Amino acid sequence: MKAPMVGRAIVGKLRIPRSSSLQPNGPQSRSITSSYAFSSVNIPELRFGRLAAPFARSLLGQRKHASTSSSDSTSLGRTTLHDLHVAHGAKMVPFAGYSMPVQYSDLSVGESHKWTREKASLFDVGHMVQHRLSGPLATSLLEKITPTSISTLEPNHSSLSCLLHPITGGIVDDTVITRLGPEHFYLVTNAACRSKDCEYIGSEISSHLSDTRSSAKSIDWQVLDNWGLVALQGPLSAEILQDLLVTPEELDLKSFYFGSGAYGSLRLLNGEASVPVLISRGGYTGEDGFEISIPPNLTVPVTESLLQSAGKEKLRLAGLGARDSLRLEAGMCLYGHDLDDSTTPVEAGLSWVISKDRRVSGGFHGDDVIMRQLRPKKDGGGVSRRRVGLIVEGAPAREGAEIVAGDATGNDGEVLGRVTSGCPSPTLGKNIAMGYVRTGSHKAGTELGVVVRGKRRKARVVKMPFVASRYWKQAAGTAPG
């Protein structure tokens, strides 16, 4: 099924029609630079409990990335699965400009987290922004705005990467890029960055077309408006998906490794086969799993087929609460909290997204800064701060908590950084957190302190992920963690 085209650049011109695809709040918005509407979260009415309280706070933290000009929940965007969530007892909350499920009535957040680790969960991530880029200059554009070696990315394979600001190398957004063909790419970016990312991509396309002397000056940019995106995550995910493939012999999941992507048709409840949908192996939980991009008219049928064919003994719906604690255990970043415009991939501990050949050749935004940061300190390189993982004693550390020198009993209370994400870990039974500290205090085993509710708590720097990832990998080094 062909996606609607909402942005197209030909012969040096970029045309962005007035379309809800590029609007954070749907058809009512008229500009891709519009702010997101955001309404307050009534936390007491939600059965968050101790585990989900940090996530509730992170929802409120979205205020710094969203407009508070409207508190009317009807102004929030809705994914195609909104009514299905409500029918399954979801508690809906505002998140990144959308009404999204934080949990469901059948499981608490902690129970949902553990269910994902032991069986399988289905997450609606349709609020994320799905893009397609194609044309003779698509590869060179992506190599300009990311530090990844796009030219060597094999067809039907994906890579986590970062969109970068010119000069500074700061992270505009983190993204997953999949090569669908020689000059045909699929990108997923964050919902909270929709307005900023669309403005950025449009500007970069225009600039790239203007700077390129090639006669084949065209880039097609499509935003897949209202398309569904579901994440099937957990150790039973492959078994569940394999049973739904119409022609399983065409997509052998045993050799379909992390970072692979392919089209496949799924069997629907009425016995018919869906059109081929894009299936990517990966996810945001640290578990084995898949993300499935689905045309708008098939999102509900495909989701219902997954749920009913697997049954409640194997598969449950899961919300943002479990997704947040799972990604934190996996040591994964949340943009706007652990990543922002002023942070480079090196500072964020994401140097692995910078391909080896790009470290030599450069040619991407911020390459002078980033390549200097990659050099050893004795050669004038390095960074002044680093992202670290922390185990915190006592109460869980919240975003913004000060990280100080010395442990809880020490006298040295110099502020070294701040916590960016934190929650109790259901798997470890300990309080975990991520944050940035001054270089020199970042090594595993370093004893620090974290100020929680005015009291300094003992904290220890540990390696991430906190919980070992279980991606389906062909060889070591093919996936983070």
Side-chain angles (χ1 to χ4, degrees), residues 262-479:
Y263 282 92
S265 295
L266 302 180
R267 188 178 64 256
L268 303 178
L269 292 177
N270 61 8
E272 297 181 357
S274 74
V275 298
V277 294
L278 180 60
I279 301 169
S280 304
R281 196 155 200 166
Y284 196 50
T285 65
E287 292 292 332
D288 182 28
F290 307 86
E291 292 191 347
I292 307 171
S293 176
I294 315 167
N297 64 316
L298 288 177
T299 304
V300 172
V302 166
T303 301
E304 290 179 335
S305 184
L306 284 165
L307 291 170
Q308 294 189 35
S309 63
K312 295 189 68 174
E313 305 80 21
K314 296 181 179 179
L315 181 64
R316 300 285 184 97
L317 288 165
L320 294 170
R323 182 172 164 84
D324 193 59
S325 56
L326 286 161
R327 70 92 189 168
L328 187 50
E329 286 188 345
M332 294 184 174
C333 298
L334 176 63
Y335 194 91
H337 300 262
D338 313 300
L339 303 174
D340 60 28
D341 297 287
S342 66
T343 303
T344 69
V346 183
E347 293 172 317
L350 300 178
S351 296
W352 52 268
V353 307
I354 308 167
S355 303
K356 291 182 178 180
D357 61 323
R358 307 301 307 277
R359 299 181 184 208
V360 176
S361 64
F364 52 87
H365 283 339
D367 54 358
D368 285 345
V369 172
I370 290 172
M371 292 169 71
R372 182 173 64 252
Q373 291 178 340
L374 288 169
R375 291 199 296 265
K377 185 177 181 180
K378 63 182 179 63
D379 296 331
V383 293
S384 61
R385 61 174 184 145
R386 295 174 182 267
R387 180 172 64 95
V388 297
L390 298 168
I391 298 292
V392 183
E393 295 185 8
R398 314 297 189 187
E399 179 182 1
E402 291 182 344
I403 304 172
V404 298
D407 60 24
T409 60
N411 295 319
D412 186 2
E414 181 185 7
V415 177
L416 301 175
R418 294 184 181 276
V419 170
T420 54
S421 289
C423 76
S425 164
T427 304
L428 300 178
K430 301 177 181 179
N431 296 319
I432 60 175
M434 286 195 297
Y436 286 82
V437 298
R438 187 184 306 166
T439 296
S441 299
H442 67 284
K443 296 181 180 179
T446 301
E447 298 289 338
L448 300 172
V450 175
V451 180
V452 180
R453 300 173 187 169
K455 183 177 180 180
R456 193 193 308 184
R457 308 280 184 173
K458 287 185 178 181
R460 185 178 76 260
V461 177
V462 298
K463 293 183 178 180
M464 294 185 284
F466 298 97
V467 175
S469 300
R470 298 195 287 185
Y471 304 121
W472 188 254
K473 298 187 288 186
Q474 182 175 18
T478 58

Side-chain angles (χ1 to χ4, degrees), residues 63-75:
R63 290 179 181 275
K64 61 186 178 183
H65 304 289
S67 169
T68 57
S69 60
S70 173
S71 59
D72 183 1
S73 62
T74 60
S75 67

Side-chain angles (χ1 to χ4, degrees), residues 84-330:
L84 183 145
H85 297 314
V86 174
H88 282 78
K91 290 183 172 67
M92 308 299 290
V93 299
F95 182 77
Y98 280 80
S99 175
M100 296 295 293
V102 70
Q103 68 176 98
Y104 296 82
S105 58
D106 59 339
L107 296 174
S108 68
V109 172
E111 290 168 341
S112 182
H113 177 112
K114 293 179 179 179
W115 185 279
T116 309
R117 291 272 186 240
E118 296 169 1
K119 298 185 180 183
S121 294
L122 192 65
F123 299 83
D124 178 13
V125 288
H127 62 303
M128 304 286 279
V129 188
Q130 302 178 69
H131 312 253
R132 285 181 182 168
L133 280 172
S134 60
L137 298 181
T139 297
S140 58
L141 169 70
L142 291 173
E143 291 219 324
K144 177 182 177 183
I145 64 178
T146 77
T148 303
S149 183
I150 303 298
S151 60
T152 61
L153 185 64
E154 296 180 4
N156 301 318
H157 285 76
S158 63
S159 177
L160 183 63
S161 191
C162 297
L163 304 177
L164 301 175
H165 283 291
I167 304 175
T168 66
I171 300 172
V172 177
D173 199 2
D174 54 310
T175 182
V176 176
I177 303 173
T178 304
R179 183 188 284 274
L180 301 177
E183 289 288 349
H184 189 188
F185 299 91
Y186 167 77
L187 287 74
V188 179
T189 57
N190 286 297
C193 298
R194 174 185 286 257
S195 178
K196 180 179 72 169
D197 288 349
C198 286
E199 183 177 4
Y200 170 87
I201 293 172
S203 175
E204 289 297 331
I205 290 175
S206 296
S207 175
H208 192 58
L209 290 170
S210 176
D211 294 343
T212 302
R213 296 181 180 180
S214 170
S215 59
K217 297 175 66 171
S218 68
I219 295 175
D220 290 348
W221 170 31
Q222 305 171 10
V223 174
L224 306 187
D225 187 31
N226 295 322
W227 277 52
L229 187 63
V230 296
L232 176 63
Q233 301 285 294
L236 299 184
S237 296
E239 174 188 329
I240 292 168
L241 183 60
Q242 192 76 59
D243 288 344
L244 273 190
L245 290 170
V246 174
T247 52
E249 65 278 2
E250 294 182 5
L251 185 58
D252 180 10
L253 297 185
K254 291 182 179 179
S255 58
F256 188 69
Y257 300 109
F258 180 95
S260 298
Y263 282 92
S265 295
L266 302 180
R267 188 178 64 256
L268 303 178
L269 292 177
N270 61 8
E272 297 181 357
S274 74
V275 298
V277 294
L278 180 60
I279 301 169
S280 304
R281 196 155 200 166
Y284 196 50
T285 65
E287 292 292 332
D288 182 28
F290 307 86
E291 292 191 347
I292 307 171
S293 176
I294 315 167
N297 64 316
L298 288 177
T299 304
V300 172
V302 166
T303 301
E304 290 179 335
S305 184
L306 284 165
L307 291 170
Q308 294 189 35
S309 63
K312 295 189 68 174
E313 305 80 21
K314 296 181 179 179
L315 181 64
R316 300 285 184 97
L317 288 165
L320 294 170
R323 182 172 164 84
D324 193 59
S325 56
L326 286 161
R327 70 92 189 168
L328 187 50
E329 286 188 345

